[in-house]
Amino acid sequence: MAPPPGLDAVLEFCSRISEADPRLDADLLLRAGRFAAEAHAKQARQNGEPYIIHPVAVAEILAGYRLDTETIATALLHDVVEDTDHKLPEIERRFGAEIARLVDGVTKLSRIEVQSERTKQAENLRKLLLAVSEDLRVLLVKLADRLHNMRTIAFVTKPESRNRTARETLDIYAPLAERIGMEQLKTELETLAFRELKPDAWATIAQRLTYLRGRSEDIIPEIEQELRDTLDVNGVPYEEVQGRAKSPYSIWRKMQAKNVAFEGLSDVMAFRIIVPERAHCYLALGAIHDAYKVIAGRFKDYISTPKTNGYQSLHTGVLLPGRRDEAKIEVQIRTREMHHIAEYGFAAHWIYKQGPQAAQPARSFPWVRALVDILETEDEANEALESTKLELHRELVFCFTPKGDLIELPRDATPVDFAYHVHSQVGDACVGAKVNGRIVRLHDKLENGDQVEIITAKGGQPNPAWLKFVKSGKAQARIRRFAQAEEKQKQRDEGRTAIVKAFRMNGLEFQEKLLEPAVKALRQSGVEEMYHQVASGSISARDVVHAAFPELRGPQRPVEPTALVSGRARLGRSGSAKQTAVPAAPITGVVAGMQLHFAQCCHPIPGDRIVGIVTTGKGVTIHTQDCHMLENFSATPERFLDVDWEQGALGPATHVVRLTVQAVNGPQLLSSVANAISKQKAVLTNLRLGRREDEECDLNLDVEVRDTRHLAELMGTLRACEGVIRVDRAKN
Ligand code: MN
């Protein structure tokens, strides 16, 4: 098989840099280079060169900064995942987890680039910062990638695509390079982008600089020599004095800022003095200020107060005597190390920090964290605003829709949060998700830069179990509301089923319209409410059947009103007594003269389905039919007595029931509950504060009511109180 095109360039590059830097893993770089050359074999650059020439050039730029094997290998592989059929797992298998992670980071940045037209540039910048804050080597590869693309931008045929790339370079990549202190890279990016965007302005300024250089011939070397003489005379040690014309872009920006023509700009030259020690910087400054006239307002001490990107230098501006043009010059004074950091920024830190630690991922270096802090506290006009925003961003995660729209979610958000953010209906119907093209679980956490695609199903419904992992308020609220509605529906269905069953037990065929008389008789607002009341136990299904078909109640066996069934029972206040005598409502099915008691375990009230338990010598104790104390008598069925309430008997409110009120605790809670009770003419006999959690509390109430109908009304009124979440009749 023929070797892939451009392989010779790969081989040449790998052998050259491995020789120059023995720390590098020559074998790994060669494997990465070969693999990339084969992966890109069918592609060509717009200038007709084999595609692999581009990754090699990017790797070359980074090798120039003496970066590590992983970064250079990432540069060689940086377009493989995005532009060929080879996917990340293969990169990981071949080159290890660290390189795979870096390549993945660069791929994510490329994705941001593609959609930058859709969102605002400044916002993009922040996303970019966030996406790279984990490992700045990703950003370095991206910057080198952009630099090579800018160097070869002339070969891109479409003017609008050239323009967009240049704009993006100026708005995003050059400022990023500056933020991490890479002055040289920033200047080159700016110059290339400026030349593309404003070719006329660039040509004019460049021409003018050439003209000035030509006309005054050796003016830069001449001034360099003059500065050296000044330092010598004052006995200041120095390593180097170097002059240069400022970059066309920085001159143009100054022209814009000061609104002057090029002719009006006198300081287009800058000189740099490199000295051995920090203290020499101030000595050199003293000598310069002593020899020349200082331009007011131009002196800056970035040594005692470094720029946020770590830049250190003394800056001053002076007037050179005896010259008409170009009389003002800028002078920068710094040590060799300060110079290195100024030119190479992040990469310089990398060089200085190399050694045994170099093999570790960059995130383990504390200065990477420090650098991220620098990125987050850029000194721009709205610094305060900006830095608080970025502080917040650590609590956020940014993801993309398949169309490239940006979505902001709380940290640790899941695909379900994402789905609800897109639209509540998307959330409801969500059944699965793909992150960066791979199926994930719904509770998996999203990461910065993830592209998320939600899979929905027609008629899909939210799962209350999602509440355990969703992070966004929107998703929580929506799922919770759904869960409550579902619970309510379930309760309604339970109530309906109980009534249907009661109908069947009485030999009746259930029809909803047969319930109409019962709704009226039991004073319900409608069939639905009645279903709920049955489910919650406030009304029994048998009551409903009997209310609908009063004839089913069977022969009336009224008890003679005797002393036993008159008077007011003081239930709940009789202290140790387990049962209380003297019922207020007549009971059918009890032989006259038998003593009646109401069980304290279940507090039966008129309307409840009841049963009597005969106790020799004590009489009959009335329990509700669902009271679980009845289990104790299951071995002696002969003690059960079939009893019922006398129909139509409306006694005074004398039967105690116990209610549990779940409510949001607030200053009005107790008074509105008390009002509701008195409004219904019920009597509160006991009140206890139960479980308390956060804002919520339980109230346990003992209330005297007439019958179940009265109870239902009272419970309804209580439910209407502000802050009340639910009201239940306590069972046992
Ligand atoms: Mn590239």
Side-chain angles (χ1 to χ4, degrees):
M1 211 169 68
L7 185 65
D8 45 343
V10 173
L11 300 178
E12 188 276 326
F13 167 74
C14 288
S15 71
R16 182 162 41 79
I17 63 156
S18 307
E19 216 163 281
D21 191 347
R23 297 169 308 122
L24 296 173
D25 182 342
D27 174 59
L28 191 144
L29 290 177
L30 201 58
R31 279 196 297 123
R34 263 183 204 281
F35 177 74
E38 273 158 26
H40 291 296
K42 293 204 176 70
Q43 296 163 338
R45 297 277 287 175
Q46 293 220 13
N47 61 2
E49 278 181 341
Y51 192 89
I52 190 66
I53 299 301
H54 163 66
V56 169
V58 175
E60 181 93 56
I61 291 167
L62 294 166
Y65 288 113
R66 288 181 55 88
L67 284 159
D68 61 346
T69 300
E70 286 73 22
T71 313
I72 297 170
T74 300
L76 290 169
L77 296 165
H78 80 272
D79 279 330
V80 167
V81 173
E82 190 72 2
D83 295 343
T84 77
D85 294 333
H86 300 275
K87 294 300 163 216
L88 207 58
E90 186 179 358
I91 302 286
E92 180 163 355
R93 211 166 52 241
R94 285 173 182 268
F95 305 106
E98 188 179 354
I99 291 174
R101 186 172 54 76
L102 295 173
V103 170
D104 190 36
V106 181
T107 307
K108 279 175 183 165
L109 288 201
S110 305
R111 219 172 274 147
I112 294 171
E113 190 179 348
V114 168
Q115 55 223 344
S116 67
E117 276 170 304
R118 297 181 59 94
T119 32
K120 275 181 284 156
Q121 301 284 3
E123 199 178 335
N124 252 335
L125 178 66
R126 286 208 297 273
K127 283 180 298 181
L128 206 53
L129 291 172
L130 281 157
V132 300
S133 59
E134 278 181 24
D135 195 326
L136 286 165
R137 288 178 297 174
V138 169
L139 179 57
L140 284 182
V141 175
K142 193 64 212 169
L143 287 172
D145 176 42
R146 177 49 61 119
L147 180 58
H148 185 246
N149 286 336
M150 284 307 298
R151 282 177 182 170
T152 55
I153 197 165
F155 298 112
V156 177
T157 42
K158 274 193 210 150
E160 61 271 24
S161 137
R162 279 206 309 273
N163 200 279
R164 182 171 64 92
T165 306
R167 188 80 256 162
E168 213 174 56
T169 302
L170 216 48
D171 289 346
I172 298 177
Y173 293 98
L176 270 179
E178 184 173 25
R179 302 261 161 75
I180 60 172
M182 302 184 78
E183 183 70 20
Q184 211 182 48
L185 190 71
K186 180 207 86 170
T187 306
E188 189 175 352
L189 284 173
E190 274 180 356
T191 304
L192 292 166
F194 175 55
R195 185 176 177 172
E196 182 59 43
L197 289 170
K198 303 263 175 204
D200 297 340
W202 180 82
T204 311
I205 294 170
Q207 257 170 34
R208 182 72 185 151
L209 287 173
T210 315
Y211 166 76
L212 283 177
R213 216 172 296 146
R215 194 192 56 160
S216 43
E217 282 206 67
D218 286 333
I219 187 168
I220 288 178
E222 199 181 289
I223 297 173
E224 280 174 359
Q225 192 51 50
E226 206 179 310
L227 292 173
R228 281 190 205 104
D229 292 344
T230 306
L231 295 171
D232 285 338
V233 167
N234 289 277
V236 180
Y238 60 90
E239 289 182 3
E240 202 182 328
V241 174
Q242 201 187 56
R244 66 191 160 91
K246 289 181 177 174
S247 83
Y249 181 64
S250 72
I251 292 172
W252 184 76
R253 240 188 352 201
K254 203 166 275 178
M255 284 162 65
Q256 301 286 304
K258 295 191 175 167
N259 198 20
V260 291
F262 185 83
E263 302 301 334
L265 275 183
S266 48
D267 51 343
V268 294
M269 282 180 293
F271 291 82
R272 201 169 280 146
I273 299 171
I274 309 286
V275 296
E277 302 288 338
R278 181 187 157 114
H280 300 142
C281 293
Y282 293 96
L283 288 179
L285 179 78
I288 301 292
H289 278 190
D290 197 36
Y292 305 104
K293 198 163 185 253
V294 178
I295 303 166
R298 295 287 295 274
F299 171 65
K300 301 241 165 62
D301 183 353
Y302 292 121
I303 292 179
S304 60
T305 317
K307 284 192 186 178
T308 47
N309 63 11
Y311 177 87
Q312 286 187 301
S313 250
L314 297 178
H315 286 192
T316 191
V318 294
L319 278 168
L320 297 186
R323 293 177 178 85
R324 263 185 302 158
D325 291 337
E326 313 93 52
K328 290 179 188 170
I329 61 162
E330 182 181 303
V331 181
Q332 300 170 351
I333 306 165
R334 51 174 85 145
T335 65
R336 178 68 63 191
E337 191 182 342
M338 291 174 192
H339 180 58
H340 246 97
I341 291 168
E343 293 289 287
Y344 304 116
F346 171 85
H349 284 283
W350 186 266
I351 294 161
Y352 287 120
K353 294 282 174 176
Q354 270 173 359
Q357 290 173 308
Q360 292 176 23
R363 70 173 85 186
S364 66
F365 290 97
W367 53 265
V368 168
R369 195 60 241 169
L371 221 48
V372 171
D373 289 340
I374 290 168
L375 295 178
E376 291 183 355
T377 52
E378 50 187 297
D379 54 342
E380 277 179 6
N382 50 352
E383 184 183 335
L385 184 70
E386 206 61 14
S387 59
T388 41
K389 266 192 198 160
L390 286 160
E391 199 56 41
L392 269 177
H393 283 179
R394 291 190 192 170
E395 302 304 312
L396 298 174
V397 62
F398 293 86
C399 302
F400 297 106
T401 67
K403 281 185 188 162
D405 289 330
L406 176 75
I407 289 199
E408 178 189 308
L409 295 164
R411 186 157 288 281
D412 294 338
T414 63
V416 174
D417 293 290
F418 185 95
Y420 274 103
H421 192 100
V422 172
H423 197 282
S424 48
Q425 281 169 10
V426 175
D428 286 350
C430 161
V431 291
K434 277 185 187 175
V435 169
N436 304 325
R438 280 216 308 269
I439 297 272
V440 298
R441 290 166 303 179
L442 286 177
H443 63 263
D444 284 344
K445 288 171 183 173
L446 297 174
E447 282 171 34
N448 269 321
D450 278 348
Q451 191 183 53
V452 186
E453 187 185 335
I454 298 298
I455 303 163
T456 57
K458 230 183 188 165
Q461 284 186 341
N463 182 346
W466 292 347
L467 282 171
K468 286 193 201 111
F469 57 77
V470 293
K471 289 284 178 294
S472 60
K474 190 172 176 182
Q476 282 168 350
R478 180 85 185 184
I479 299 165
R480 200 171 287 146
R481 212 175 311 140
F482 177 85
Q484 279 166 358
E486 200 183 37
E487 177 60 31
K488 221 176 153 192
Q489 178 67 26
K490 214 175 106 195
Q491 229 197 23
R492 178 240 179 232
D493 290 347
E494 275 171 13
R496 188 176 186 277
T497 306
I499 295 172
V500 171
K501 218 161 128 193
F503 264 69
R504 204 182 304 131
M505 280 168 70
N506 283 285
L508 296 164
E509 200 187 325
F510 176 80
Q511 278 180 354
E512 203 162 85
K513 69 168 193 279
L514 295 177
L515 295 177
E516 297 299 336
V519 168
K520 231 180 233 167
L522 297 171
R523 298 192 201 169
Q524 301 291 298
S525 67
V527 176
E528 293 300 317
E529 190 203 344
M530 198 160 70
Y531 291 154
H532 284 293
Q533 297 287 4
V534 170
S536 70
S538 306
I539 303 175
S540 74
R542 204 174 80 161
D543 293 333
V544 174
V545 176
H546 284 180
F549 301 92
E551 62 277 17
L552 287 176
R553 280 182 165 264
Q556 302 282 309
R557 289 180 291 169
V559 180
E560 291 298 315
T562 66
L564 287 173
V565 293
S566 64
R568 196 180 158 100
R570 310 305 297 172
L571 299 182
R573 293 180 193 162
S574 47
S576 60
K578 274 213 142 194
Q579 296 153 1
T580 308
V582 199
I587 299 285
T588 62
V590 178
V591 177
M594 242 181 160
Q595 210 175 343
L596 272 180
H597 308 274
F598 288 100
Q600 287 287 74
C601 42
C602 52
H603 295 305
I605 61 170
D608 281 333
R609 282 191 300 162
I610 47 174
V611 68
I613 297 292
V614 180
T615 306
T616 317
K618 274 191 86 180
V620 179
T621 307
I622 308 296
H623 289 265
T624 62
Q625 283 188 10
D626 57 0
C627 177
H628 59 223
M629 291 301 286
L630 294 178
E631 284 168 26
N632 300 338
F633 307 103
S634 57
T636 52
E638 67 280 3
R639 294 179 64 188
F640 281 75
L641 197 61
D642 187 11
V643 295
D644 203 347
W645 305 95
E646 166 118 44
Q647 205 191 9
L650 276 182
T654 50
H655 296 268
V656 165
V657 282
R658 183 156 290 172
L659 297 177
T660 310
V661 176
Q662 190 190 340
V664 177
N665 211 348
Q668 300 302 320
L669 181 63
L670 281 181
S671 70
S672 57
V673 164
N675 270 335
I677 293 169
S678 89
K679 207 162 119 195
Q680 287 298 330
K681 300 200 164 55
V683 180
L684 181 67
T685 61
N686 194 7
L687 182 143
R688 201 162 49 80
L689 201 59
R691 177 190 66 102
R692 241 182 293 190
E693 257 171 48
D694 301 328
E695 314 279 82
E696 284 180 21
C697 68
D698 280 356
L699 294 176
N700 296 313
L701 311 174
D702 286 349
V703 189
E704 288 181 352
V705 294
R706 220 160 37 231
D707 53 14
T708 48
R709 198 178 297 165
H710 190 195
L711 175 65
E713 280 166 5
L714 174 63
M715 287 172 78
T717 314
L718 285 172
R719 285 189 184 107
C721 290
E722 196 187 323
V724 170
I725 299 163
R726 58 183 296 163
V727 179
D728 292 298
R729 183 172 175 189
K731 291 274 162 91
N732 307 303

